[in-house]
Amino acid sequence: MTVATRKFNPGFLTEDELVASFCVRIHEFESIVETLRGCTGNSNQHQIVIGPRGSGKTTLLLRVAAKIGRDTDLSSRLLPVRFAEECYEVSTAGEFWLECLSQISNQAPSEEYSPDLPRTLAEFRTIQDDRTLADRCLGALLDYADHQGKRLVLLVENLNMMFRDMADPDAGWRLRHTLQTESRIVLLASATSRFEEIDSPDSALYELLRVHTLAPLATDECVVLWEAESGESPSRDEVRPLEILTGGSPRLLTIVARMGAGRSLGDLLDHLLDLIDDHTEYFKSHIEALPAQERRVYLALAELWEPATTKEVAGRARLDTNKCSAQLKRLSDRGAVRVVGGSARRKQFYLTERLFNIYYLLRRRRGPDRPVRALLRFMSSYYSGFELAETTLEFVKTTTKPRREVNPLRAAAMEQLPGVALADVEGTGYRWDRPREALVALDEAMRRFENSNLSEADDFVLATFTKRGLLLWKLGHEDAARAAFSDALKRLVGEQADGTADWRARLRLLRGHLELDCQEYGSAREIASELLAHDRESAPDYRCLAFLLRARSALLDAPRSAESDLAAALDMLPALDSLPSETFGALAEATVELGAARILELIDGSASAELLLPLTTALELELGRAPRVAREVEEVAKDIRLSLAKTRRERDAIDGENPRPEREESP
């Protein structure tokens, strides 16, 4: 079902709903309120909130209005007057004050002040001279303020667009005069971008307004908003990719949180097109609201995806450069387009609402656009953060699901097991937080079925050995963990049943990663080679992981063979259903050992170049280059560089504890 656009407009919330849902922009809110508290003298500090569409300007202003009404001190001195979000009829100073009086008429109970206010407004609308109109309307407003005994706080949205459409060149100066001399009027405005009237020393509003700029939400703020909208408590790593895709926009993050509640990160990104389709009305309304010429330029920039110059946009839009420049200026004024990078004479532009760009590219070709699909696939794996142990537990859970016909010997083995870990043994709820108690349950399960007639390759048996090995590894008992994995592998000798190849491959990989963790690099390489030599029927995922394992274990003492294994894994990646998370660890370690230039060369020469664009972007940045890519790609690359720095620190720590073995001689 399509979600109506109005559901994302805070103006349709009740005051209680607005207050209850307000959870970000707290600093800006408190700063605005504190400034309003200081409006007690002969002059006022006027304020403006600047941020692009969807950044939370309307919500913030409405929350301030609610605070005024609920705060005893503020409500005794101030009265909010909210303008319409779009004031198309305001083009002069007189019309500005007429609109203000009109909003008071709409918002104040008629019996409270003047039952004849509608008639007064009708009379004022017949006044042709703008100065007379301004004087009459302003006089009525000040009378109303005196009657209430309060200062009027004018909540005016999109002030930049209002000034852009002003027909009277003196309107700004006339408004400035009133705001500077009349203490009964306080202006709290918003704008989608900075504009000449506040930036130019020769303009009317220069240095009149205190500016609050709404930056994109930081990761921690995204976590708070996600939790408020979805009812879930995600980690920073889980929210980070969604922060990137939405550009930190509160409105877009709210949409994704509502449609992604209950989904894993991988599932959310994998089905992003389907989820966006459910909200087509919102995204379509965004583009349909633009005039035809602006829409053409806007969509051309969306097609380019990455920051682009006016000339590049004009070429894609098939427009004259000067005309394109004018439309980009109007789009910037709307806050729909932002300037990033480039130079003063060759500015680069990109779309402010990043999720719309993704939406457009996915819809434009009636299917996933290749670069976007590659990015989503990369992010799904990179930010999921699963290690081989976690993915193995998911594999165990899947392969040990209860069957219709329960093996009676298995049921007997499970009788009277310690209840705390019963779910662990059955593969439905592994407990990392209480490993010792879970280990007791697993040991008891093994004792009960050790001499039974259960099949040597029974999933339940294999799962028990595997979980026991993982627990022992977690508890630091590496030798016992090796034995558990080896015992499970012995049970698979000669077995050809369905699924046994996957079990063999995964157990060998676990054993190999255990050796790698213990810095037994030769043993890890041997195990990986054994998998590649004997488990040829294994799924490509496992063979790719084996190449990566062998490469990682060779980096310290045999880098030449590591390069060949990395190249083999890179050529396999595009054919896999998903990117193994171990890919990034292996390539990070390889970058530290072999250098960013060499790894970049390997990736660019492989079939995975497009798939690993965020990684190659990070490597180029490491080399001091400045690649021009989509902002989403650039943000992921920043995170990858942090991971590379962490890998370097970890490698330095290992080198400090254990001197490196002598490397093989290069030919």
Side-chain angles (χ1 to χ4, degrees):
M1 184 178 85
T2 302
V3 176
T5 306
R6 64 180 181 84
K7 290 190 176 180
F8 303 102
N9 188 333
F12 289 96
L13 296 175
T14 67
E15 185 177 285
D16 287 341
E17 290 172 335
L18 178 77
V19 172
S21 63
F22 189 81
C23 57
V24 294
R25 307 298 190 197
I26 304 299
H27 172 74
E28 293 85 354
F29 166 71
E30 292 177 344
S31 180
I32 292 171
V33 170
E34 191 62 28
T35 300
L36 287 174
R37 290 191 189 280
C39 294
T40 57
N42 294 327
S43 63
N44 301 309
Q45 174 62 74
H46 306 288
Q47 304 178 77
I48 187 169
V49 177
I50 297 178
R53 184 176 185 262
S55 60
K57 300 184 300 299
T58 299
T59 302
L60 180 56
L61 264 60
L62 291 176
R63 180 64 184 91
V64 171
K67 176 65 175 177
I68 293 173
R70 294 176 176 220
D71 185 284
T72 303
D73 172 56
L74 293 175
S75 64
S76 68
R77 298 184 293 105
L78 304 175
L79 181 67
V81 180
R82 184 192 174 200
F83 278 49
E85 187 171 351
E86 302 287 352
C87 297
Y88 298 111
E89 298 179 352
V90 176
S91 61
T92 66
E95 289 171 353
F96 179 88
W97 299 119
L98 180 65
E99 176 67 18
C100 184
L101 195 61
S102 176
Q103 293 303 326
I104 286 178
S105 176
N106 294 333
Q107 297 169 31
S110 59
E111 67 276 6
E112 184 178 291
Y113 173 52
S114 175
D116 295 329
L117 189 53
R119 187 167 58 229
T120 302
L121 280 169
E123 176 189 337
F124 286 174
R125 287 192 174 101
T126 65
I127 299 174
Q128 296 300 312
D129 181 72
D130 194 66
R131 290 186 178 273
T132 302
L133 175 64
D135 290 342
R136 296 284 298 275
C137 289
L138 185 56
L141 286 169
L142 297 179
D143 285 346
Y144 180 73
D146 288 339
H147 177 80
Q148 296 293 320
K150 300 178 181 180
R151 303 183 188 215
L152 305 181
V153 181
L154 310 186
L155 306 178
V156 183
E157 297 204 59
N158 298 312
L159 190 66
N160 58 324
M161 297 176 67
M162 181 184 293
F163 269 84
R164 184 193 67 187
D165 297 333
M166 284 284 189
D168 180 3
D170 293 328
W173 293 105
R174 291 164 61 192
L175 290 172
R176 181 187 183 99
H177 175 75
T178 301
L179 294 172
Q180 282 185 314
T181 60
E182 182 47 67
S183 63
R184 287 167 286 183
I185 302 293
V186 184
L187 178 63
L188 175 56
S190 74
T192 53
S193 64
R194 298 190 69 92
F195 54 110
E196 185 178 358
E197 281 72 14
I198 66 172
D199 284 337
S200 173
D202 298 327
S203 296
L205 302 185
Y206 183 69
E207 293 189 342
L208 178 67
L209 307 173
R210 181 185 180 191
V211 176
H212 304 271
T213 301
L214 300 186
L217 294 182
T219 307
D220 289 338
E221 293 173 305
C222 290
V223 170
V224 171
L225 183 58
W226 185 276
E227 184 171 359
E229 292 295 336
S230 68
E232 301 171 345
S233 299
S235 66
R236 297 179 84 258
D237 289 342
E238 290 171 320
V239 165
R240 174 60 178 154
L242 305 173
E243 173 195 351
I244 292 171
L245 291 176
T246 61
S249 163
R251 182 181 297 171
L252 294 180
L253 192 67
T254 295
I255 291 174
V256 176
R258 291 176 183 176
M259 70 186 187
R263 294 175 180 265
S264 66
L265 172 62
D267 188 38
L268 176 58
L269 296 183
D270 288 344
H271 295 88
L272 191 61
L273 178 56
D274 296 334
L275 293 169
I276 286 176
D277 275 343
D278 290 340
H279 295 72
T280 295
E281 184 178 338
Y282 169 78
F283 291 102
K284 285 181 65 178
S285 70
H286 179 53
I287 189 64
E288 290 171 354
L290 296 175
Q293 205 66 285
E294 290 181 38
R295 185 187 310 161
R296 187 172 180 178
V297 171
Y298 186 85
L299 294 180
L301 191 54
E303 283 272 5
L304 291 167
W305 195 25
E306 63 188 32
T309 64
T310 301
K311 183 178 180 180
E312 291 166 335
V313 178
R316 179 59 64 95
R318 297 175 59 83
L319 283 177
D320 175 78
T321 302
N322 290 333
K323 289 183 179 179
C324 182
S325 178
Q327 298 305 324
L328 284 170
K329 174 65 167 61
R330 293 182 69 87
L331 287 166
S332 296
D333 290 343
R334 291 179 181 274
V337 165
R338 302 184 73 177
V339 177
V340 56
S343 62
R345 300 188 62 181
R346 286 176 53 85
K347 296 178 181 177
Q348 293 177 354
F349 300 87
Y350 76 107
L351 299 191
T352 302
E353 293 210 40
R354 303 307 303 159
L355 193 60
F356 175 85
N357 210 148
I358 299 291
Y359 159 80
Y360 179 74
L361 290 173
L362 292 178
R363 294 280 298 180
R364 180 73 173 83
R365 297 168 179 82
R366 297 187 180 277
D369 179 77
R370 279 183 57 188
V372 176
R373 179 178 58 183
L375 174 65
L376 295 177
R377 187 178 175 193
F378 185 99
M379 293 176 74
S380 176
S381 181
Y382 181 75
Y383 289 104
S384 292
F386 288 131
E387 297 296 335
L388 185 64
E390 279 74 15
T391 56
T392 296
L393 289 172
E394 287 299 313
F395 170 77
V396 167
K397 180 178 177 179
T398 301
T399 56
T400 56
K401 286 182 178 178
R403 304 165 183 172
R404 290 184 179 180
E405 295 181 4
V406 179
N407 186 316
L409 290 173
R410 177 187 298 185
M414 293 302 301
E415 286 179 2
Q416 299 177 351
L417 284 177
V420 65
L422 178 60
D424 298 339
V425 181
E426 278 293 273
T428 58
Y430 199 67
R431 297 293 300 273
W432 280 107
D433 56 335
R434 297 163 74 177
R436 296 187 184 280
E437 294 177 66
L439 189 61
V440 171
L442 291 169
D443 286 342
E444 177 63 13
M446 289 179 61
R447 186 188 67 77
R448 289 174 180 268
F449 65 62
E450 186 66 35
N451 298 318
S452 71
N453 293 324
L454 285 173
S455 166
E456 293 293 318
D458 184 275
D459 287 340
F460 176 70
V461 177
L462 295 171
T464 304
F465 274 104
T466 302
K467 290 182 178 181
R468 187 170 181 274
L470 288 169
L471 279 169
L472 290 166
W473 186 358
K474 177 179 175 64
L475 292 170
H477 305 309
E478 288 86 358
D479 289 340
R482 287 189 185 95
F485 294 145
S486 297
D487 286 345
L489 278 168
K490 288 177 183 177
R491 292 173 177 271
L492 290 168
V493 174
E495 288 281 352
Q496 299 297 325
D498 292 343
T500 55
D502 284 351
W503 272 111
R504 269 197 303 271
R506 190 166 288 274
L507 285 164
R508 282 198 171 108
L509 285 169
L510 283 172
R511 175 68 189 276
H513 277 274
L514 173 58
E515 299 298 338
L516 187 64
D517 189 47
C518 295
Q519 300 176 34
E520 298 291 342
Y521 304 117
S523 297
R525 280 205 300 280
E526 184 179 336
I527 291 169
S529 297
E530 186 178 358
L531 190 156
L532 291 168
H534 300 296
D535 287 351
R536 297 188 180 277
E537 72 276 25
S538 297
D541 307 62
Y542 299 125
R543 297 184 62 76
C544 181
L545 287 170
F547 279 120
L548 292 173
L549 171 61
R550 194 163 67 179
R552 291 180 66 185
S553 58
L555 283 171
L556 289 181
D557 57 356
R560 186 174 57 186
S561 63
E563 288 189 17
S564 62
D565 283 333
L566 285 172
L570 289 171
D571 283 335
M572 296 181 70
L573 290 179
L576 304 183
D577 292 335
S578 61
L579 288 179
S581 58
E582 287 79 3
T583 304
F584 310 111
L587 291 173
E589 291 175 6
T591 299
V592 172
E593 294 299 326
L594 305 177
R598 180 55 184 146
I599 300 305
L600 184 59
E601 183 181 359
L602 283 174
I603 296 174
D604 285 343
S606 74
S608 296
E610 183 178 64
L611 186 59
L612 300 179
L613 179 60
L615 177 57
T616 57
T617 300
L619 296 177
E620 290 195 72
L621 291 170
E622 291 281 303
L623 294 169
R625 303 172 189 172
R628 182 146 49 114
V629 294
R631 292 303 299 270
E632 293 85 351
V633 174
E634 184 181 335
E635 286 296 311
V636 179
K638 289 180 182 178
D639 292 347
I640 293 173
R641 294 189 72 187
L642 293 176
S643 297
L644 287 173
K646 180 181 177 182
T647 300
R648 290 190 183 96
R649 292 193 298 270
E650 292 173 347
R651 180 59 70 193
D652 289 343
I654 291 175
D655 291 345
E657 295 176 2
N658 302 290
R660 292 172 179 248
E662 292 186 7
R663 292 187 172 183
E664 61 183 15
E665 293 294 329
S666 300

